[in-house]
Amino acid sequence: MSEVNTNEENLTMADFEDAINKSFSRIKEGDLVTCTVIGVKEDHAIVDIGSYAEGIIYTSELSDDPHFSVFTDITVGEAFKAYVLEVDDGNGNVLLSKKQASSELAWEEFGAALEDQRKYSVVVDSAVNAGVVAYVNGIRGFIPASQLSLSYVENLDEWVGKKLEVIVITADRDRKKLVLSAKAVAREQADAEHREKLSHVQKGVVTTGVVERIEPYGAFVNIGDGLTGLVHISRMCAKRIKSPKEVVSEGQEVKVKILDVVDGKISLDMKAVSEGEDVVEDIDHTPIEYISDDDASTSLGSLLSKFKL
């Protein structure tokens, strides 16, 4: 008969010493232990804590999120931290709390998130006085109405169920106060989109716009695609005027030439627009041949004029 040589046959008690010692290690209330889910029941999860007894985490100790479900939000094999509540529930089981451990770890994370402007994806749970409630890592967070959107929010109930990207703007661990802002994320996105639009604006292009606002120093003209530029009073007409209102009025459509884009601000010119000059209606799709007045001096005709035949 051939000799059977398996790993199990070669193992000795010394090989099991660490595992045995660990399994009989004393666990006490308040310990933070690592759990691995080995079973899910209707009102609790069964976890392996690497000890002589199994751990039990009842639904009330899994999460504070009212939408939490033991069947959909906990999976067998999942590992997490939990605090020991009781070392023996009378049936030989260790009672634990995941939500307490998650809360402590979450508040530590929120402190860092406050510094690095970390974004969280949340779903608005309910509307309350002056704002809405959403949960982040099982922690109740408050989003003031003023921090929901870039525009004024009138009906808070319309936001319930909406998915939002938020950042932490207040994380007071002692008072358990977590305040979130979707407006800050929306502003960041809007600024990025605005910078992208500005990158397509080309100097020297003539387009049409609508006068939005008149100030003593000039008029602000909406040239489309969410972009507004300033026509300084000195660039409105050839003659000297005391007020922009002598030339334009709010709501009036005017032709303007794009002078420059500096620090996110568009400078426009009305008096530089020549009669019959081509007008680009959609500045976001400006053809590449539209170039600035300075660059125009290097056109093919200009270059050829330098050669003597």
Side-chain angles (χ1 to χ4, degrees):
M1 180 181 295
S2 61
E3 182 180 354
V4 178
N5 184 16
T6 64
N7 290 334
E8 287 81 358
E9 290 177 344
N10 293 327
L11 290 175
T12 65
M13 283 301 295
D15 297 308
F16 292 102
E17 185 176 351
D18 289 342
I20 292 172
N21 289 337
K22 182 179 179 182
S23 67
F24 284 97
S25 61
R26 187 166 183 80
I27 295 175
K28 59 183 183 297
E29 292 181 11
D31 281 353
L32 182 65
V33 298
T34 299
C35 308
T36 302
V37 179
I38 57 176
V40 176
K41 302 295 183 180
E42 185 175 350
D43 64 344
H44 68 275
I46 306 168
V47 296
D48 177 12
I49 55 175
S51 184
Y52 58 90
E54 290 182 340
I56 299 292
I57 308 179
Y58 286 102
T59 304
S60 60
E61 292 298 333
L62 283 169
S63 175
D64 276 328
D65 190 336
H67 299 293
F68 180 88
S69 169
V70 68
F71 291 113
T72 59
D73 296 320
I74 291 290
T75 57
V76 173
E78 178 182 355
F80 48 76
K81 300 286 188 180
Y83 277 113
V84 176
L85 299 178
E86 294 182 28
V87 295
D88 190 342
D89 66 348
N91 295 313
N93 299 312
V94 179
L95 296 186
L96 305 113
S97 174
K98 178 181 183 295
K99 73 176 185 180
Q100 286 188 26
S102 297
S103 176
E104 290 298 318
L105 296 172
W107 283 107
E108 290 179 10
E109 180 182 313
F110 294 150
L114 188 61
E115 297 296 325
D116 60 26
Q117 299 291 281
R118 192 176 313 168
K119 296 180 181 63
Y120 293 94
S121 180
V122 301
V123 176
V124 176
D125 177 73
S126 58
V128 293
N129 184 35
V132 299
V133 170
Y135 287 82
V136 183
N137 294 346
I139 305 298
R140 182 183 186 275
F142 176 65
I143 309 176
S146 62
Q147 293 298 322
L148 270 173
S149 173
L150 291 174
S151 56
Y152 176 72
V153 174
E154 185 172 356
N155 188 351
L156 291 171
D157 290 328
E158 292 180 350
W159 289 79
V160 176
K162 285 190 176 182
K163 188 174 183 179
L164 301 174
E165 292 291 316
V166 299
I167 61 169
V168 176
I169 57 175
T170 299
D172 190 330
R173 184 172 187 167
D174 295 333
R175 297 170 59 194
K176 302 298 182 186
K177 182 179 180 182
L178 179 66
V179 183
L180 311 169
S181 173
K183 181 178 181 178
V185 177
R187 181 184 294 112
E188 181 182 334
Q189 293 172 343
D191 289 344
E193 291 173 2
H194 185 69
R195 289 192 298 271
E196 174 65 19
K197 291 175 182 178
L198 286 174
S199 69
H200 293 288
V201 176
Q202 296 185 38
K203 294 192 297 181
V205 170
V206 174
T207 188
T208 57
V210 177
V211 177
E212 284 188 331
R213 189 172 87 250
I214 298 176
E215 299 292 346
Y217 51 83
F220 289 92
V221 178
N222 185 334
I223 57 175
D225 202 23
L227 297 175
T228 296
L230 171 67
V231 182
H232 191 267
I233 188 171
S234 65
R235 310 301 302 183
M236 286 188 162
C237 62
K239 66 178 183 179
R240 186 179 180 85
I241 56 175
K242 293 183 178 180
S243 170
K245 293 183 178 180
E246 296 178 34
V247 180
V248 297
S249 57
E250 289 187 9
Q252 178 183 346
E253 184 175 273
V254 294
K255 287 183 182 180
V256 292
K257 177 173 284 190
I258 298 172
L259 288 181
D260 208 348
V261 180
V262 179
D263 295 331
K265 297 178 181 179
I266 304 174
S267 298
L268 304 173
D269 194 323
M270 287 174 57
K271 71 179 183 181
V273 179
S274 303
E275 189 70 29
E277 196 165 357
D278 290 339
V279 176
V280 176
E281 296 296 343
D282 188 354
I283 60 171
D284 191 40
H285 294 85
T286 305
I288 194 65
E289 60 264 29
Y290 281 93
I291 54 180
S292 68
D293 292 336
D294 292 335
D295 292 339
S297 64
T298 60
S299 65
L300 179 60
S302 176
L303 291 172
L304 290 176
S305 68
K306 298 180 183 297
F307 289 92
K308 294 182 180 181
L309 300 178

